[in-house]
Amino acid sequence: MTYPSRVMTIAGSASGGSAGIQADLKTFQELDVYGMSVVTAIVGRHPVTNKNVHPMTIEAIEAQFDTAMKQVGIDSLKTGMLFSKTVIEKVAELLESETIKHIVVDPVMVGKLDSKLLEDEAIEALKEKLIPLAEIITPNMPEASFLLDGREIKSVEDLYQAAEDLYKLGSRYVLVKGGRLDGPAVDVLFDGEVFTEFEAPRIDTVNTSGAGCSYSAAITANLAKEMTVVDAVLQAKNFVTTAIEHGFTYTEAVGPTYHAALRTRGEAHKIKMTQSKK
Ligand code: PXL
């Protein structure tokens, strides 16, 4: 018997099930890896107080990591919503104290419904402590812009420049996701020498809640299976594009992507991939 690879997410709980920990664990299951989680905060809006972020204590975060590490072990790990500087510093310390083959940092900052998922003063800690530990970081356009001191990103050329500049923060790969551009969904991967551009067709839908979480979770699962980074991103983009295509909603709210789509609805997307030297 061979066992599935061991994959961990350190992220926030999104009670509606579309994003955060919930999206990550669904993605892990779809991709046949053993999913584990450390909950950093619970996101859910209280009907009276209006409070929407309920952080866990540092002790609870450390306890979850330690238990999973000792009971199971970790081959590949992603971080999502971390929320505060103290959590980022603790997570960086935990990751440095263990040997984990693959670390994916999704620099989650703002949710689709404008929940603030990272405090302003936490951005420096993300840049200095966590990103240098990553094999790959996966910012979307607003996140890339924040990490580059507010620089505007509004074209495919800007994605290339952002990837090159973010590479200087110390991760081995940078994937800048251009989902918010008009036209096809273009993402740019950079490894310090070679740019790889991935292009998927634009899908006309608002039901994309958790798409970014699911994309980075799929990359994390694929890396656990020892795919190359380029293949891990290519297959993950195929997974998430199919999930977006079959997204749906139960109410008038922006709905989830359909994590089971690639498995149950067949027909994967053709992602165009092109490479160029710096
Ligand atoms: O999609 C970003 C995201 C990540 N993590 C948590 C979230 C959200 C969006 O709402 O709630 C916990």
Side-chain angles (χ1 to χ4, degrees):
M1 160 104 192
T2 55
Y3 298 105
S5 300
R6 303 160 297 180
V7 183
M8 153 77 64
T9 172
I10 303 183
S13 164
S15 63
S18 61
I21 290 275
Q22 286 78 359
D24 293 344
L25 290 175
K26 289 174 193 185
T27 301
F28 293 162
Q29 188 66 22
E30 288 299 329
L31 297 180
D32 192 22
V33 292
Y34 182 83
M36 296 170 283
S37 62
V38 168
V39 180
T40 57
I42 293 174
V43 179
R45 192 174 295 282
H46 189 276
V48 176
T49 64
N50 226 13
K51 189 174 163 190
N52 66 345
V53 174
H54 309 267
M56 295 290 104
T57 61
I58 294 292
E59 190 186 1
I61 290 169
E62 189 164 13
Q64 294 172 82
F65 182 85
D66 191 60
T67 303
M69 195 75 216
K70 290 211 175 92
Q71 282 183 357
V72 179
I74 303 170
D75 299 309
S76 186
L77 176 146
K78 72 161 269 192
T79 64
M81 174 191 181
L82 299 174
F83 191 57
S84 70
K85 181 166 177 264
T86 42
V87 173
I88 291 171
E89 286 172 350
K90 173 52 76 179
V91 168
E93 182 194 312
L94 293 170
L95 299 188
E96 273 182 312
S97 70
E98 302 289 346
T99 308
I100 297 170
K101 272 197 255 169
H102 306 285
I103 296 178
V104 177
V105 171
D106 189 2
V108 169
M109 294 183 190
V110 185
K112 290 236 159 48
L113 301 175
D114 277 351
S115 304
K116 194 156 196 186
L117 306 177
L118 185 74
E119 292 178 333
D120 292 338
E121 68 270 18
I123 293 194
E124 282 313 306
L126 191 64
K127 281 163 105 164
E128 281 163 25
K129 302 260 166 64
L130 200 57
I131 289 179
L133 304 179
E135 181 168 11
I136 176 169
I137 62 170
T138 61
N140 60 24
M141 288 160 55
E143 290 157 357
S145 179
F146 272 115
L147 291 170
L148 292 169
D149 303 319
R151 180 205 303 172
E152 273 195 42
I153 298 171
K154 45 186 182 17
S155 65
V156 172
E157 293 71 51
D158 292 348
L159 300 180
Y160 275 79
Q161 192 59 53
E164 201 177 322
D165 293 340
L166 288 169
Y167 180 78
K168 295 175 193 142
L169 295 178
S171 63
R172 290 184 22 228
Y173 287 80
V174 175
L175 178 70
V176 185
K177 300 175 295 184
R180 284 163 169 79
L181 294 171
D182 292 332
V186 173
D187 307 327
V188 174
L189 179 72
F190 184 57
D191 67 0
E193 284 176 20
V194 176
F195 292 100
T196 308
E197 182 181 311
F198 302 89
E199 183 187 311
R202 163 78 39 194
I203 294 160
D204 185 21
T205 176
V206 295
N207 298 320
T208 58
S209 178
C213 304
S214 307
Y215 192 2
S216 59
I219 294 170
T220 313
N222 290 341
L223 290 174
K225 297 175 181 176
E226 296 300 342
M227 287 184 198
T228 64
V229 173
V230 169
D231 270 349
V233 172
L234 179 67
Q235 306 279 348
K237 189 163 174 74
N238 190 33
F239 172 83
V240 82
T241 304
T242 313
I244 291 170
E245 183 183 28
H246 296 281
F248 58 91
T249 182
Y250 294 107
T251 63
E252 75 282 1
V254 170
T257 69
Y258 187 44
H259 293 95
L262 192 58
R263 172 170 56 86
T264 61
R265 307 284 168 93
E267 197 50 35
H269 278 278
K270 297 264 181 305
I271 310 292
K272 259 196 256 163
M273 192 177 102
T274 48
Q275 289 193 309
S276 53
K277 284 237 170 199
K278 185 179 149 183

